[in-house]
Amino acid sequence: MHTHEARLDALRKELAHQGLDGFVIPISDEHMSEYVGAYAQRLAWLTGFGGSAGSAVVLKDKAAIFIDGRYTLQVRDQVDGRLYEYQSVPQTSIAAWLGANAPEGARIGYDAWLHSKGWAEGVAKALAGRNAALVAVDANPVDAVWQDRPAPSLAPALVHDDAHAGQPGHEKRAGVAEWLAAQKLDAAVISALDSIAWLLNVRGTDVERTPVALSYVLAHADGTADLFIAEEKVTPELVAHLGNAVRIQPREAFLAALHALSGKKVAVDPERAVAAIFAALEQAGATVVPLTDPTVLPKAIKNPVEQAGHKAAQSRDGAAVSRFLHWVSSEAPKGGVTELAASDRLEAFRAEGGLLRDLSFDTISGAGPNGAVVHYRVSPETNRPLEPNSVYLVDSGGQYVDGTTDITRTVWIGPDAPPAEVKDRFTRVLKGHIALARAVFPKGTAGSQLDSFARQFLWQAGLDYAHGTGHGVGSFLSVHEGPQRIAKAAGGQAGTGQDLVPGMILSNEPGYYKTGAYGIRIENLILVEKREIPGAESEFYAFETLTHVPIERALVDVALLTAEEREWWNAYHARTREVLGPQLSGADLAWLEAACAPL
C-alpha cells in the first residue's frame, strides 16, 4: 500500500468491516501531545500531510482534511486534492462539516484515546441533527490497515536531576497533594507527557523534539503517586530516583487503575486528558471534576535554577546560531546553498558544543517564497536554493539538559541592497518586536492584552500576521508550553487567558508574510520579571530578553526607528557582543563585532 489512494481505499474497507460510515483521524496521541511519536502519525501515513496540526474525516464517498492558516500552502503540496477536500479551520470545523456531509443515520467512528471529551460532545451534537451518531471504536481502524506501523518507543526513561530541575520531585508532589486537599479531591489524573516529566523530574526520548517518556500518572492526596510505564523503560536509576512514594506499574494497568477509583473524587483536565479517561472514570462510578492539571502553572513559572540554566543554554545556542549566520552571509551569496544544506549546517553548529540533546522542533528553513509559509518544513521536494538578493527565514531551536531554545532570524542574502518594501516590512516587524520587549504592565495582565503592542506598526500599513505573537517555553521540555501566551484574545474578549507572572518564559515573534515572495519573523525568548517603578501604586512587571543573536541590520530602515527604538537596538547588540564574544574567535568574532556595532 504505497500510494495514499490505496491506503484510503483500505481504510474504507476496514470501516465497512467495522460497521462504520466514517472515521475521524487527528494528529494526536493518548496524551493530547502537540508532537507525537512515529507510532501515532496516523494522519501523515494516511494522507501524506507533514504538518504538526490537522485532522481528516473519511466518509464512504468523500473525505476532507482540516488545517489552520499555517498550513494553507503546505497541504496543497502534500495532500492529493482528488482524494481530500481542503478545509480551513477555524472558518469551518469537523463538527460543522459532518453536520453538513454525514449521511442521514450514519455511524461516525472516533478513537476516544485521541480526542478530548469536549470535542466529542461538540461533534456528537452536530451529528444529532442528521440522526447520526459518534461512536467510540474499540480498535483504531487506521492501525488495522497500517501494516508496518512502528511500535511505541521502549527507550529508557531518564532521571532529570535536581541540579537542573531546581526542585525535588517529592516537593512537587506535595504541592499537588496540597492542591487536592484544598479542592477536597482524592486524586488527579496527569496524562500530559510534559506534566509527568516535570512532576517526577524524569525525561525521555520517546517523542522526537520533546524529551518525554510515554507514561501516565495518578497523583494522590497523600503525596504518593502511581506511574504507569512500560516495564522495558524502567531502570534501577529511575527506581532509586522515584523512591517508595511513587509506585511503578505497567502501562497497560492504567485503565484498571481508573476503574478502581469507584466512589473517589478525581480531577481530570479537559484540555489535556482524552475522552477515554473521562469515560473510564464515569463508568467506574468516580466523581470526575474537570480542572486544569495542577502542574501546568507551577511548571510554567521557572525557578531560579531553571532560569539560570535557560540563560546558559541560550548563550551556548546563541553562539552556534551566530556562527551559522556568519556562514550564511559568506556562503549563500555565492549560490549553491539550499534550505536543507543550511538547516543541516545549523544543526551541526549546535551539535559541535557536545551538549545538544535534540532539536526543539524541525528547523523552518525558508528561502524566498518558502519563507512565507508560516510553519514551512523543508523536504527534498520543496528544497530551494538561498538565491542571491533574496530573503531567508530560519526558525530553529535546541534541547539542552539545562534549557530549551527557540529563535527566528530573517536575513538578506546579498550582494545587492534589499528593496525598499522588504526593509519597510522588516522594520515594522522589528518595531513591534521592540515594543513588546520594552513593555511594562501591571500585575494581572494577560498576554492577549499585550498582543497589539507587536502588531501596531503593521496595522498602520494595513498589514497583519495569522499566528500568535508569543507562546510559553518549557525547561528541557516542550518548546510550546501553556498556559501563558501572547495572542489575539479568543472571541475578541480582551483579558481572556492566563495572567503573566514573574518566572514565565515566552517567545516574542511578530512577523509578516507575502505569499509567493518572502517571509519575515524576528523571535527572541523573554522572561517575565518584576519591575520597580518609583511611586508605582501596584506591582508592575516587564520582560528580560534571554536570546542574544544579532538581528539583520541590512534590512532595517533606520529612518523609521524612534530614538528609543535605536537605543534598544544598540543596548541589545552591546549585550549580545558581551554574551557571545568570549565564545567566538577569528572570522566569527569579527562578523559578530560588525553585526553588533551601534546603528
Side-chain angles (χ1 to χ4, degrees):
M1 275 196 296
H2 297 302
T3 71
H4 294 113
E5 193 163 8
R7 292 171 183 184
L8 181 59
D9 184 55
L11 177 60
R12 284 189 165 126
K13 290 187 172 115
E14 178 63 25
L15 294 179
H17 174 66
Q18 290 197 21
L20 296 169
D21 301 294
F23 189 69
V24 183
I25 304 96
I27 300 175
S28 184
D29 64 7
E30 304 86 338
H31 310 277
M32 303 290 290
S33 307
E34 178 182 15
Y35 298 110
V36 301
Y39 78 95
Q41 293 282 2
R42 297 175 179 92
L43 188 69
W45 177 82
L46 182 68
T47 68
F49 178 64
S52 64
S55 298
V57 179
V58 174
L59 301 176
K60 284 176 179 172
D61 56 348
K62 64 169 83 172
I65 186 160
F66 297 78
I67 44 84
D68 63 39
R70 296 174 296 179
Y71 298 112
T72 309
L73 303 177
Q74 181 176 335
V75 74
R76 284 164 173 76
D77 284 341
Q78 295 178 330
V79 179
D80 190 335
R82 294 175 308 119
L83 304 178
Y84 297 89
E85 297 174 12
Y86 307 124
Q87 296 287 336
S88 293
V89 177
Q91 291 83 343
T92 185
S93 66
I94 289 172
W97 189 86
L98 279 169
N101 290 281
E104 192 72 21
R107 287 166 50 82
I108 305 297
Y110 82 110
D111 185 336
W113 287 97
L114 302 179
H115 296 273
S116 72
K117 182 172 185 260
W119 177 91
E121 286 166 352
V123 174
K125 196 171 165 185
L127 285 169
R130 302 180 81 85
N131 298 315
L134 185 68
V135 182
V137 297
D138 291 329
N140 192 306
V142 176
D143 298 353
V145 296
W146 183 0
Q147 284 146 359
D148 52 356
R149 178 171 167 246
S153 159
L154 294 175
L158 307 168
V159 172
H160 187 60
D161 60 51
D162 293 355
H164 292 116
Q167 186 185 18
H170 68 84
E171 283 184 17
K172 295 179 178 181
R173 293 199 315 278
V176 172
E178 275 173 39
W179 177 85
L180 287 167
Q183 304 280 344
K184 299 187 168 49
L185 299 171
D186 297 299
V189 175
I190 311 291
S191 59
L193 297 177
D194 61 334
S195 295
I196 294 165
W198 179 86
L199 178 65
L200 300 182
N201 289 339
V202 297
R203 297 296 187 266
T205 58
D206 294 345
V207 177
E208 269 190 18
R209 314 308 191 208
T210 310
V212 291
L214 292 170
S215 52
Y216 296 100
V217 162
L218 278 178
H220 301 280
D222 61 2
T224 66
D226 292 281
L227 170 65
F228 301 88
I229 187 167
E231 290 157 44
E232 295 86 345
K233 306 177 74 59
V234 178
T235 63
E237 292 79 11
L238 183 72
V239 174
H241 164 72
L242 292 173
N244 299 336
V246 178
R247 295 170 290 271
I248 300 174
Q249 306 205 39
R251 182 177 163 91
E252 55 273 17
F254 177 58
L255 197 53
L258 294 178
H259 287 142
L261 290 170
S262 174
K264 303 285 190 200
K265 292 180 76 172
V266 185
V268 188
D269 187 334
E271 278 182 47
R272 292 171 180 82
V274 294
I277 290 173
F278 285 89
L281 288 166
E282 283 158 9
Q283 282 162 11
T287 303
V288 182
V289 184
L291 288 168
T292 299
D293 171 341
T295 70
V296 165
L297 191 55
K299 167 162 53 70
I301 300 169
K302 309 297 181 249
N303 62 48
V305 169
E306 290 172 318
Q307 292 179 31
H310 194 95
K311 288 174 186 178
Q314 284 286 359
S315 165
R316 205 182 304 129
D317 197 67
V321 176
S322 295
R323 290 173 65 205
F324 167 74
L325 293 176
H326 171 223
W327 176 82
V328 167
S329 72
S330 60
E331 293 304 313
K334 301 173 189 170
V337 174
T338 64
E339 293 168 338
L340 277 173
S343 69
D344 288 349
R345 194 74 192 87
L346 176 53
E347 184 169 0
F349 278 123
R350 280 196 165 100
E352 276 170 25
L355 295 173
L356 183 74
R357 293 297 186 86
D358 194 357
L359 300 181
S360 57
F361 55 97
D362 291 330
T363 298
I364 298 170
S365 176
N370 286 344
V373 182
V374 175
H375 273 221
Y376 174 65
R377 196 153 100 188
V378 58
S379 66
E381 296 77 45
T382 62
N383 189 24
R384 284 178 71 92
L386 279 55
E387 290 166 4
N389 303 317
S390 69
V391 177
Y392 172 58
L393 182 155
V394 58
D395 183 350
S396 68
Q399 290 285 10
Y400 304 91
V401 74
D402 49 359
T404 298
T405 69
D406 184 1
I407 172 174
T408 309
R409 287 296 181 264
T410 305
V411 297
W412 176 251
I413 309 294
D416 299 349
E421 180 196 277
V422 175
K423 288 182 72 167
D424 174 84
R425 304 303 190 248
F426 184 89
T427 308
R428 289 176 187 278
V429 171
L430 173 66
K431 286 166 74 73
H433 180 95
I434 294 172
L436 185 58
R438 296 179 64 226
V440 178
F441 49 95
K443 178 180 179 177
T445 301
S448 56
Q449 293 169 280
L450 301 181
D451 181 72
S452 55
F453 283 40
R455 297 180 192 267
Q456 57 184 318
F457 305 101
L458 288 161
W459 285 354
Q460 284 164 7
L463 310 168
D464 200 5
Y465 50 93
H467 57 77
T469 301
H471 56 82
V473 176
S475 197
F476 188 41
L477 266 180
S478 176
V479 75
H480 294 146
E481 183 178 271
Q484 74 278 23
R485 59 195 301 256
I486 300 172
K488 293 178 182 178
Q493 297 169 330
T496 53
Q498 170 65 44
D499 291 352
L500 302 183
V501 296
M504 286 179 170
I505 293 174
L506 299 108
S507 63
N508 171 3
E509 51 176 313
Y512 170 73
Y513 310 91
K514 186 173 184 179
T515 302
Y518 58 87
I520 292 164
R521 189 159 62 249
I522 302 170
E523 177 185 20
N524 287 337
L525 299 188
I526 51 181
L527 171 70
V528 183
E529 59 177 10
K530 284 189 182 171
R531 173 62 54 92
E532 297 302 328
I533 301 176
E537 296 179 353
S538 63
E539 204 167 295
F540 271 75
Y541 303 149
F543 295 119
E544 177 188 355
T545 294
L546 300 173
T547 309
H548 287 96
V549 169
I551 299 169
E552 175 68 282
R553 58 197 300 126
L555 287 171
V556 180
D557 183 345
V558 181
L560 291 180
L561 297 181
T562 64
E564 287 91 349
E565 288 164 346
R566 287 199 295 272
E567 191 182 311
W568 181 91
W569 173 285
N570 289 339
Y572 175 78
H573 285 89
R575 178 74 184 130
T576 297
R577 165 75 184 76
E578 262 175 53
V579 170
L580 303 182
Q583 303 178 69
L584 301 177
S585 59
D588 288 332
L589 181 58
W591 175 87
L592 178 76
E593 293 190 321
C596 290
L599 275 181

